[in-house]
C-alpha cells in the first residue's frame, strides 16, 4: 500500500505539471497517456510475478480509454488494469463519476486481493477442519495463519448453547470460514464452505438458524469478474456444509448481501429466509419459504428514488412476520425502507427515513485505506400485549457539527481533524410508518472515531444491543477497542459503553492487512439476555482474527453478605463457619494480620465452612464474601 500511495502522489504531481502547458493540445494529449502507469509499474505495484497468469491478465487489460481521466486519483483504491478488466466483463455497469463507488462493487477489493495471492488464478482447497477446542482468549477463529475479516454471528434461538459464525479468508484458500460452538462459546470448531461449480473464492459471510436446527449461510461466489449469491446449509450444527442454491438468479454483478430468518413462533412466515443485496446499482430481495421450501425470484426494491448504488443493505422481520428491508444510497445520500406483509411476495414503495451527511464510505485515521463503509444495521420488535411496534436502524456517519457535514470534511489520515465519525440511530414506534429524527448514541467530546457498528434485538425482551469500534482509548486516533451498549427502553436511552475487547487493534502499522483492514462489517446476535458480538481483531496476533465475547444484559443482583461468621482457633489453623445465603454459589475467604486489612484471599468454599491451615502463631482477621 505504500507503493500505491506514492503512485497516487506521483499522479497529482504529473497532473499539476501538465496543467502548466494546458494551452498546448499536444502537451495535454501527452499528459493523458503518461499519467497511467506502465505495465511494469503496475506489476511492481501489486507484486505480480512477470511470468504468471495474473501478469498475462494485466497485459490484456491496458485499454485505459475505457476509464475516466479522474479515476487516476479517486478514492476507490483499485488499480487501472483491474478497472479495465472489470468494465470489459460488465459493460452494463454505470461507471459515473457522480457515484463514489465509481461503479465497482465493494467486493472487487477482495477479488483483487485474491488475485494478488493466487497469481495462477486457480481455485484452492479449503483450510483443514478443526475440531472444537478451548478458544484462545476471545478468539473464535484461533490463531490465524492468514488474515480474517468481516464476520457474522448468530445464536440458535431454540438451543442457545449452539452459535455459528463466519468470516472471509481471502488470502489463503479463499473459502468462507465457518465457526461453530455447542457449549455457548467455551470451545469453537472451524470448517469451510465448499465452492459451487466454477467458483474460485468467497466473500461477505452471513449466518442464521431455522427452528428445525438447520444452520444457514450465504456468501458471494466469485468466478473471475462474475459475482453470484450462493446459499449453504448445515444439518449438524455447522460442522459440515452443503451447497443449497444460487438465489440471485442470472445476476452476475451482485454484492454486499445480508440474510435474516424469521424466528417468531407467531409469524405465519416462521423460518422464511430473506436476503437483500445490490446488483450493479439497484437493491434486490429474495426469500426461501423455509427449510423445506424453495427460493423465489429476485425482486428489485429500489427505484428512481435511489441514485448511485444501494450498497450496505439490511433485512429483518418482527413477530407478526412483517419484513423490513433497508439500504443507504451513494448518490443522493439517503436511507430508504421497504416492507412486506405477505412473506416477501411483494414490497411497498421505498420510504425515505433518513439523510446521511457523507456518502458510501468515510476515511478516518484508523481506517483510511479500506475506509469505513456507511451501511445500515437494523432490528424490529413487536409486542401486542405491551403495545409496541418498533423498528430500528443504525449507521456510521460524520457528526454533522460545524466543519463535519459533507464528504469533503472527512478526517482521512489527519489525526487532529475536528471532524469525527459516530454511530447514528433512528427508530419508528408505529411499525415503520413514521420515523424519529436520527441521533448519535455516544457522542464524546474527544477527537475519536466510531465505525463498523452492528445492531441486534433480543426478541425475548426487546432489549437492543449495539457494538462498534472506537478509537477513544488512543490519543493517536489509530488504535481501536470494541464497545457494546444496550437499551432497555426501546432506544430512548443507552447504557454506559462497555469495552468487550481485551486489547487494542492497530490496522495502520506494518504487517496489517492494509487492503482489508477491519473489513466492511461486524456481527452481533442477542437472545435471552446474552449478546454475542463478533469482530476483526489483531491485538493478540500478527494476523487479523475473528473474536467474540458473550455479554450479558441481565441485571445482576449480588447475594447478601454472609452472616454469623464464627472463627475457632487451633494449633496452626483457623476453622471458620457462617450462615448460608440464598442465591450464593460460593464464598471467598480473605485474611489480614491487622484489623481493617489489607485483606488477601486465602480460599474459596462452595459450603458454609472453611479451614485456614499452616498458620504461624499470631492474631488473624477474616472477611467472607458471598458470590
Amino acid at each position: 500500500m505504500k507503493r500505491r500511495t506514492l503512485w497516487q502522489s506521483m499522479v497529482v504531481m504529473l497532473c499539476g505539471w501538465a496543467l502548466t502547458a494546458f494551452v498546448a493540445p499536444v502537451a495535454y494529449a501527452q499528459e493523458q497517456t503518461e499519467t497511467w502507469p506502465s505495465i511494469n509499474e503496475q506489476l511492481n505495484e501489486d507484486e505480480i510475478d512477470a511470468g504468471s497468469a495474473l501478469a498475462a491478465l494485466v497485459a490484456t487489460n491496458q485499454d485505459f480509454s475505457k476509464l475516466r481521466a479522474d479515476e487516476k486519483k479517486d478514492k476507490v483504491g483499485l488499480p487501472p488494469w483491474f478497472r479495465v478488466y472489470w468494465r470489459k466483463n460488465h459493460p452494463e455497469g454505470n461507471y459515473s463519476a457522480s457515484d463514489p463507488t465509481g461503479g465497482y462493487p465493494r467486493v472487487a477489493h477482495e477479488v483483487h486481493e485474491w488475485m494478488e495471492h493466487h497469481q495462477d488464478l486457480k481455485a484452492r482447497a479449503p483450510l483443514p477442519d478443526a475440531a472444537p477446542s478451548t478458544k484462545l482468549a476471545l478468539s473464535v477463529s484461533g490463531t490465524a495463519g492468514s488474515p480474517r475479516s468481516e464476520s457474522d454471528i448468530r445464536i440458535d434461538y431454540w438451543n442457545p448453547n449452539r452459535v455459528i459464525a463466519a468470516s472471509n479468508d481471502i488470502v489463503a484458500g479463499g473459502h468462507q470460514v465457518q465457526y461453530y460452538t455447542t457449549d455457548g462459546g467455551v470451545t469453537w470448531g472451524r470448517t469451510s464452505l465448499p465452492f459451487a461449480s466454477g467458483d474460485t473464492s468467497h466473500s461477505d459471510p452471513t449466518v442464521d438458524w431455522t427452528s428445525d436446527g438447520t444452520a444457514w449461510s450465504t456468501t458471494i461466489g466469485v468466478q473471475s469478474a462474475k459475482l453470484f449469491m450462493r446459499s449453504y446449509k448445515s444439518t449438524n450444527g455447522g460442522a459440515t456444509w452443503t451447497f443449497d442454491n444460487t438465489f440471485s438468479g442470472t445476476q452476475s454483478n451482485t454484492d454486499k448481501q445480508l440474510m435474516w430468518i424469521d424466528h417468531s413462533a407467531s409469524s405465519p412466515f416462521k423460518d422464511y429466509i430473506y436476503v437483500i443485496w445490490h446488483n450493479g446499482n439497484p437493491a434486490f430481495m429474495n426469500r426461501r419459504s423455509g427449510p423445506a421450501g424453495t427460493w423465489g425470484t429476485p425482486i428489485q426494491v429500489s427505484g428512481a428514488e435511489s441514485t448511485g448504488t444501494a450498497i450496505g443493505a439490511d433485512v429483518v422481520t418482527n413477530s407478526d412476520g412483517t419484513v423490513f428491508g433497508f439500504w443507504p444510497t451513494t448518490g443522493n445520500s439517503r436511507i430508504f425502507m421497504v416492507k412486506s406483509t405477505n412473506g416477501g411476495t411483494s414490497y411497498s414503495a421505498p420510504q425515505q427515513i433518513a439523510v446521511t451527511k457523507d456518502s458510501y464510505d468515510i476515511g478516518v485515521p484508523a481506517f483510511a485505506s479500506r475506509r469505513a463503509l456507511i451501511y445500515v444495521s437494523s432490528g424490529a420488535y413487536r409486542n401486542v400485549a405491551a403495545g409496541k411496534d418498533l423498528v430500528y436502524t443504525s449507521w456510521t456517519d460524520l457528526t454533522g457539527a460545524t466543519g463535519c457535514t459533507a464528504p469533503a470534511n472527512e478526517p482521512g489520515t489527519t489525526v487532529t481533524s475536528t471532524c469525527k465519525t459516530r454511530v447514528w440511530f433512528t427508530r419508528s414506534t408505529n411499525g415503520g410508518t413514521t420515523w424519529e429524527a436520527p441521533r448519535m448514541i455516544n457522542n464524546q467530546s474527544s477527537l475519536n472515531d466510531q465505525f463498523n457498528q452492528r445492531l441486534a434485538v433480543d426478541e425475548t425482551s426487546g432489549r437492543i444491543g449495539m457494538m462498534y469500534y472506537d478509537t477513544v482509548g488512543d490519543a493517536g486516533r489509530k488504535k481501536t477497542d470494541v464497545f457494546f451498549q444496550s437499551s432497555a427502553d426501546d432506544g430512548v436511552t443507552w447504557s454506559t459503553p462497555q469495552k468487550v475487547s481485551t486489547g487494542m487493534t492497530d490496522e495502520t502499522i506494518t504487517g496489517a492487512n492494509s487492503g482489508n483492514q477491519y473489513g466492511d462489517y461486524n456481527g452481533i446476535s442477542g437472545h435471552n439476555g446474552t449478546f454475542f458480538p463478533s469482530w476483526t481483531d489483531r491485538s493478540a496476533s500478527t494476523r487479523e482474527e475473528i473474536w467474540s465475547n458473550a455479554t450479558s444484559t441481565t441485571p445482576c443482583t449480588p447475594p447478601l453478605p454472609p452472616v454469623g461468621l464464627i472463627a475457632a482457633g487451633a494449633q496452626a489453623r483457623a476453622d471458620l463457619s457462617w450462615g448460608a445465603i440464598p442465591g450464593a454459589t460460593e464464598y471467598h475467604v480473605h485474611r489480614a494480620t491487622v484489623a481493617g486489612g489489607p485483606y488477601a484471599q486465602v480460599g474459596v468454599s462452595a459450603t458454609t465452612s472453611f479451614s485456614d491451615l499452616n498458620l504461624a502463631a499470631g492474631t488473624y482477621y477474616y472477611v467472607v464474601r458471598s458470590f
Side-chain angles (χ1 to χ4, degrees), residues 260-485:
W260 176 265
I261 292 177
D262 187 334
H263 311 109
S264 174
S266 60
S267 167
F269 311 108
K270 176 186 174 183
D271 286 332
Y272 272 37
I273 305 171
Y274 301 95
V275 188
I276 187 169
W277 69 95
H278 72 97
N279 182 61
N281 292 128
F284 286 84
M285 298 182 72
N286 200 354
R287 62 107 174 97
R288 193 186 204 279
S289 52
T294 58
W295 286 97
T297 301
I299 298 173
Q300 182 174 331
V301 291
S302 68
E305 81 292 328
S306 301
T307 65
T309 304
I311 182 173
D314 198 9
V315 56
V316 294
T317 60
N318 66 12
S319 62
D320 71 354
T322 300
V323 188
F324 301 91
F326 302 83
W327 65 89
T329 61
T330 63
N332 54 352
S333 303
R334 304 287 189 266
I335 295 176
F336 291 96
M337 182 206 74
V338 293
K339 66 179 181 179
S340 171
T341 57
N342 55 17
T345 301
S346 61
Y347 286 87
S348 66
Q351 173 188 353
Q352 180 181 313
I353 64 173
V355 177
T356 61
K357 296 161 183 59
D358 209 324
S359 176
Y360 181 43
D361 60 8
I362 309 174
V364 296
F367 203 12
S369 175
R370 176 74 177 206
R371 299 169 57 86
L373 181 65
I374 299 176
Y375 62 84
V376 290
S377 182
S378 309
Y381 180 70
R382 188 171 189 267
N383 186 321
V384 175
K388 295 183 177 184
D389 194 1
L390 299 151
V391 193
Y392 312 107
T393 197
S394 64
W395 62 96
T396 297
D397 202 356
L398 303 176
T399 62
T402 302
C404 196
T405 59
N409 306 137
E410 63 185 41
T413 58
T414 306
V415 299
T416 58
S417 171
T418 57
C419 189
K420 305 172 285 189
T421 57
R422 292 290 182 264
V423 173
W424 286 79
F425 170 85
T426 185
R427 67 172 191 162
S428 169
T429 59
N430 51 16
T433 301
T434 59
W435 289 78
E436 296 177 350
R439 56 189 180 273
M440 294 172 277
I441 69 167
N442 179 26
N443 185 22
Q444 308 106 316
S445 60
S446 52
L447 295 184
N448 60 292
D449 299 292
Q450 304 164 0
F451 54 89
N452 281 25
Q453 91 297 337
R454 195 74 183 268
L455 177 152
V457 175
D458 182 343
E459 296 179 44
T460 66
S461 64
R463 183 181 285 268
I464 314 168
M466 185 91 75
M467 64 86 63
Y468 53 89
Y469 292 115
D470 198 333
T471 63
V472 68
D474 176 31
R477 205 171 171 177
K478 293 182 179 180
K479 299 177 183 178
T480 61
D481 289 298
V482 175
F483 286 87
F484 172 83
Q485 291 183 257

Side-chain angles (χ1 to χ4, degrees), residues 36 123 193 384 432 438 556 603 619:
W36 293 111
L193 295 184
V384 175
C556 176
T619 302

Side-chain angles (χ1 to χ4, degrees), residues 40 243 267 391 536:
N40 284 337
F243 174 67
S267 167
V391 193
T536 303

Side-chain angles (χ1 to χ4, degrees), residues 96-379:
S96 170
S98 63
D99 187 345
T101 70
Y104 305 99
R106 190 82 169 182
V107 74
H109 293 271
E110 277 73 35
V111 178
H112 173 233
E113 185 176 24
W114 180 86
M115 289 179 169
E116 289 180 301
H117 290 87
H118 303 83
Q119 295 188 16
D120 60 2
L121 304 182
K122 295 180 180 179
R124 295 291 196 275
L127 294 170
D129 289 353
S133 61
T134 302
K135 61 185 179 181
L136 173 64
L138 302 175
S139 178
V140 171
S141 60
T143 302
S146 58
R148 312 287 166 82
S149 68
E150 297 179 356
S151 63
D152 195 22
I153 193 167
R154 198 75 79 232
I155 302 167
D156 181 352
Y157 290 6
W158 300 273
N159 181 0
N161 280 327
R162 301 203 307 177
V163 185
I164 50 173
S167 77
N168 286 340
D169 188 21
I170 305 300
V171 171
H175 294 254
Q176 182 166 295
V177 184
Q178 308 290 114
Y179 313 102
Y180 61 96
T181 179
T182 59
D183 52 20
V186 176
T187 60
W188 289 86
R190 185 196 69 219
T191 187
S192 300
L193 295 184
F195 285 143
S197 178
D199 289 354
T200 56
S201 63
H202 291 146
S203 188
D204 294 22
T206 71
V207 290
D208 210 337
W209 300 86
T210 46
S211 63
D212 64 343
T214 302
W216 297 84
S217 186
T218 73
T219 191
I220 301 174
V222 180
Q223 293 187 13
S224 188
K226 303 295 184 180
L227 309 172
F228 306 95
M229 289 295 163
R230 311 293 199 195
S231 60
Y232 292 78
K233 63 181 179 180
S234 170
T235 57
N236 56 6
T240 59
W241 295 81
T242 57
F243 174 67
D244 171 54
N245 214 321
T246 301
F247 56 84
S248 53
T250 59
Q251 297 176 0
S252 62
N253 197 17
T254 61
D255 189 20
K256 201 54 65 189
Q257 88 291 354
L258 276 184
M259 172 178 65
W260 176 265
I261 292 177
D262 187 334
H263 311 109
S264 174
S266 60
S267 167
F269 311 108
K270 176 186 174 183
D271 286 332
Y272 272 37
I273 305 171
Y274 301 95
V275 188
I276 187 169
W277 69 95
H278 72 97
N279 182 61
N281 292 128
F284 286 84
M285 298 182 72
N286 200 354
R287 62 107 174 97
R288 193 186 204 279
S289 52
T294 58
W295 286 97
T297 301
I299 298 173
Q300 182 174 331
V301 291
S302 68
E305 81 292 328
S306 301
T307 65
T309 304
I311 182 173
D314 198 9
V315 56
V316 294
T317 60
N318 66 12
S319 62
D320 71 354
T322 300
V323 188
F324 301 91
F326 302 83
W327 65 89
T329 61
T330 63
N332 54 352
S333 303
R334 304 287 189 266
I335 295 176
F336 291 96
M337 182 206 74
V338 293
K339 66 179 181 179
S340 171
T341 57
N342 55 17
T345 301
S346 61
Y347 286 87
S348 66
Q351 173 188 353
Q352 180 181 313
I353 64 173
V355 177
T356 61
K357 296 161 183 59
D358 209 324
S359 176
Y360 181 43
D361 60 8
I362 309 174
V364 296
F367 203 12
S369 175
R370 176 74 177 206
R371 299 169 57 86
L373 181 65
I374 299 176
Y375 62 84
V376 290
S377 182
S378 309

